Amino acid sequence: MKKERKLKDLNEFQSWAKESAFVYPSSEIYGGFAAVYDYGPYGSILLKNIRDAWWKSMVQERDDVVGLDSGIFMHPTTWLASGHVGGFADVLVEDKKTNIRYRADHLIEKFFAEKGETVDMDKKTPEELQQIIEENDIKSPDGNELAAPRSFNLLVKSNLGSTDASFDEKNVTYLRGETCQGIYLNFKNIISTTRKKLPMGIAQIGKAFRNEIVARQFIFRTREFEQMEMQYFHHPDDTEKKYEEWKKDRMKWHTDVLGIPEDSLRFKEHAKLIFYATAAFDIQYKFNSMGDAFDELEGIHARSNYDLTQHAKHSGEKMEYFDQSRNEKYIPHIMETSVGLNRIFMMLLDDAWTEEQIENAKGETDTRIVLKIKKSLAPIKAAILPLMRKPDFQSKALDLKKSLQSEFMVEYDETASIGKRYRRQDEIGTPYCITVDHQTLEDNSVTVRDRDSMKQIRINSDEVMDYIKENL
Ligand code: GAP
């Protein structure tokens, strides 16, 4: 049995992600910018692979879901109608001495967790949270008194399109706090310009922005992030059935398409609901890097006809749908699946990152970091490595690289020893390393090394493309 270790905490995660070109802190040359991250050469490919996998399952392979790409900015009334201006808030508490701000619910949860107790802090009001803080004499992490909790709206304001003189609270434009509002605003357009009938879904991937009070968990909670959301429009009688179908479907996506082990995932029902939901489940993942704690990955929400009704009221447009099959007119109800792209990214790396003790070529014990990510999601699919930096080896290797490049992301590497080059590729999750050696010059065969087993096979270089395609 190989000895293995997983990520021990977020510090190790963050420094590894930076060193291996996945995630960089934002604006480092200016001293950093809190709760925003940039995705490096391998990180940006992994994000794209996740987006593509979601889109394929959600839109391409389904007949009842279409795609959309709506603007980040929307008419200011959107956010009044949706209820976000009034109700999209977290409760903040401030350390009276250091002025550091905390989310009140998180502080209370931590207080009880340290005593081995779990409490449900879902959607508590500032007054309820204050009472808990007082009754239990909860202090800040620095041991200081806390100021009274207060609501803090999460929408990010902009001054788009306004001159300074005309800029007032009424015409504030917001950066979208969730992507799905763009879907609701386009529901009528999509129904009238496509031949889609209900039940049907609209899917969208895009950036969302929230003024998170605290964002200290690497890329888990950031102020700029990306959502992959699908809104399923249906008759109210179908809600229960659709809810169960989507719950099953989404869990299966995490296990089958992303390759996450079943026992690292679970459903958690919300005890108290956010203002728009009538039922809500989260899919949670057990993060190695966050002390083996389960935390939210994806939300599955029954939103009733709340959003369309609100937009109808504020815009004066009718949002009713005439259902020919039922001979009935109604405002459709919505089932939502909403997942953060960056959280999926974090889960995939958290699950895949493995430090292994192995035996090297000399029979000595060695360690390697290997990213055991599902091969089809790996940023680089193959690395082409000439054994020696000599023209014969190099030109063969470069020819092979060129032939594979039209199909896959591949890398060519001729620096350092072959062992070091294998390690580099293991660490970024490259499934196959293809080495051009002396024998290649004689019979055109190459070695193909598998990332996980580290076993090598020898095949003709003309067969490499098909071999990789069949084994991804
Ligand atoms: N439209 C529904 C909605 O936005 P949500 O539970 O607030 O629901 C859905 O967000 C998902 O978006 C979450 O499950 C999470 O994956 C992701 N998400 C939310 N806030 C985030 C943040 N600050 N940083 C990164 N991802 C976030």
Side-chain angles (χ1 to χ4, degrees):
M1 259 297 263
K2 276 189 224 136
K3 261 197 170 163
E4 282 191 359
R5 179 175 80 79
K6 305 300 266 185
L7 280 164
K8 65 172 184 286
D9 56 30
L10 290 177
N11 287 337
E12 181 174 52
F13 198 168
Q14 189 162 342
S15 50
W16 171 82
K18 181 180 168 191
E19 288 309 312
S20 42
F22 277 90
V23 185
Y24 306 128
S26 166
S27 319
E28 259 197 313
I29 61 163
Y30 288 107
F33 192 61
V36 182
Y37 287 89
D38 299 334
Y39 290 76
Y42 299 126
S44 54
I45 306 172
L46 179 54
L47 285 178
K48 181 183 179 302
N49 293 350
I50 302 167
R51 274 189 215 104
D52 290 349
W54 186 85
W55 193 264
K56 185 164 182 266
S57 306
M58 196 54 98
V59 181
Q60 187 180 322
E61 292 177 348
R62 296 188 68 109
D63 299 323
D64 57 348
V65 178
V66 294
L68 177 74
D69 191 348
S70 69
I72 284 173
F73 288 112
M74 280 170 261
H75 191 284
T77 311
T78 307
W79 302 103
L80 266 179
S82 69
H84 284 77
V85 172
F88 189 48
D90 280 336
V91 181
L92 165 162
V93 273
E94 209 166 306
D95 180 317
K96 280 186 176 170
K97 206 161 166 192
T98 63
N99 298 112
I100 298 177
R101 293 164 157 197
Y102 300 94
R103 259 180 70 169
D105 54 346
H106 288 177
L107 218 55
I108 297 172
E109 274 165 1
K110 191 163 167 271
F111 173 82
F112 284 103
E114 279 164 9
K115 300 203 300 177
E117 295 171 37
T118 44
V119 282
D120 205 328
M121 287 293 110
D122 258 3
K123 313 287 168 293
K124 290 238 185 296
T125 63
E127 293 71 32
E128 288 170 326
L129 294 168
Q130 175 149 29
Q131 198 181 342
I132 300 172
I133 290 173
E134 281 172 4
E135 280 169 4
N136 295 280
D137 195 25
I138 298 174
K139 299 274 192 297
S140 78
D142 293 318
N144 303 320
E145 290 291 324
L146 294 165
R150 60 191 161 94
S151 265
F152 182 77
N153 193 287
L154 301 182
L155 284 180
V156 178
K157 286 179 183 173
S158 84
N159 65 350
L160 179 86
S162 51
T163 61
D164 281 348
S166 71
F167 189 69
D168 62 33
E169 284 300 311
K170 272 197 277 353
N171 58 21
V172 170
T173 41
Y174 295 97
L175 275 74
R176 64 185 174 197
E178 55 177 5
T179 56
C180 57
Q181 294 300 328
I183 294 182
Y184 308 139
L185 301 199
N186 281 287
F187 170 67
K188 283 193 74 173
N189 279 340
I190 288 175
I191 286 296
S192 63
T193 56
T194 66
R195 291 173 307 284
K196 289 288 164 205
K197 304 233 179 306
L198 262 55
M200 61 85 74
I202 304 174
Q204 155 151 261
I205 302 176
K207 291 251 175 167
F209 303 83
R210 293 183 189 177
N211 239 331
E212 297 286 356
I213 297 168
V214 268
R216 294 194 198 105
Q217 291 165 297
F218 187 30
I219 51 171
F220 184 80
R221 194 180 312 282
T222 49
R223 299 200 171 112
E224 173 179 340
F225 58 100
E226 213 164 320
Q227 287 187 315
M228 307 194 286
E229 298 201 300
M230 188 284 313
Q231 311 294 309
Y232 202 76
F233 298 79
H234 61 274
H235 188 277
D237 289 353
D238 291 343
T239 296
E240 222 167 284
K241 186 165 158 257
K242 293 294 164 207
Y243 206 94
E244 287 315 311
E245 281 173 14
W246 278 110
K247 267 176 70 187
K248 224 160 111 197
D249 198 271
R250 294 306 301 149
M251 187 57 101
K252 204 165 149 43
W253 186 74
H254 290 282
T255 54
D256 296 9
V257 177
L258 300 186
I260 301 297
E262 261 175 49
D263 58 4
S264 298
L265 295 162
R266 72 176 187 195
F267 283 114
K268 178 157 189 285
E269 189 168 13
H270 283 231
K272 241 180 167 179
L273 299 169
I274 191 160
F275 61 91
Y276 55 69
T278 56
F281 270 88
D282 284 344
I283 295 180
Q284 296 188 325
Y285 165 74
K286 187 158 63 145
F287 286 89
N288 295 295
S289 55
M290 298 208 287
D292 280 337
F294 276 97
D295 216 326
E296 175 185 347
L297 200 64
E298 166 153 8
I300 302 167
H301 311 130
R303 294 181 74 128
S304 70
N305 61 6
Y306 172 83
D307 299 276
L308 290 184
T309 306
Q310 285 295 103
H311 288 305
K313 212 190 286 172
H314 283 77
S315 67
E317 285 281 336
K318 286 203 167 62
M319 290 289 176
E320 282 163 330
Y321 170 80
F322 178 67
D323 192 329
Q324 281 174 335
S325 64
R326 295 172 188 261
N327 196 25
E328 187 186 335
K329 215 180 204 183
Y330 55 90
I331 298 184
H333 281 222
I334 288 160
M335 185 64 58
E336 165 180 76
T337 72
S338 173
V339 67
L341 171 63
N342 316 79
R343 284 215 189 149
I344 302 256
F345 177 99
M346 186 172 171
M347 167 179 73
L348 284 172
L349 294 185
D350 179 278
D351 176 66
W353 192 99
T354 310
E355 189 185 79
E356 268 183 3
Q357 288 204 348
I358 51 162
E359 204 175 274
N360 66 18
K362 294 180 202 145
E364 302 153 342
T365 305
D366 203 352
T367 59
R368 68 163 183 163
I369 292 171
V370 53
L371 212 54
K372 293 184 174 178
I373 194 166
K374 194 152 182 217
K375 290 179 173 171
S376 56
L377 294 169
I380 304 296
K381 301 295 190 256
I384 320 301
L385 316 172
L387 188 64
M388 306 183 84
R389 271 162 94 169
K390 287 187 172 170
D392 289 358
F393 292 79
Q394 289 164 320
S395 74
K396 273 267 174 206
L398 284 168
D399 283 349
L400 181 56
K401 183 197 127 208
K402 207 155 185 211
S403 72
L404 297 177
Q405 229 165 355
S406 60
E407 288 286 325
F408 316 110
M409 286 298 304
V410 293
E411 255 186 17
Y412 173 85
D413 187 4
E414 57 173 31
T415 61
S417 71
I418 192 76
K420 270 210 178 113
R421 283 182 271 167
Y422 284 156
R423 292 288 173 280
R424 272 183 204 150
Q425 297 301 328
D426 289 343
E427 187 152 351
I428 60 163
T430 305
Y432 299 107
C433 283
I434 295 147
T435 305
V436 169
D437 58 13
H438 291 96
Q439 203 175 320
T440 315
L441 307 183
E442 286 163 22
D443 62 8
N444 206 32
S445 69
V446 289
T447 63
V448 179
R449 172 188 178 270
D450 181 90
R451 175 194 72 195
D452 301 332
S453 67
M454 296 187 288
K455 294 222 164 77
Q456 298 191 23
I457 56 163
R458 186 169 274 281
I459 59 175
N460 193 288
S461 78
D462 298 336
E463 294 163 7
V464 172
M465 169 88 87
D466 286 342
Y467 180 83
I468 297 176
K469 276 189 184 167
E470 280 160 26
N471 291 285
L472 278 183

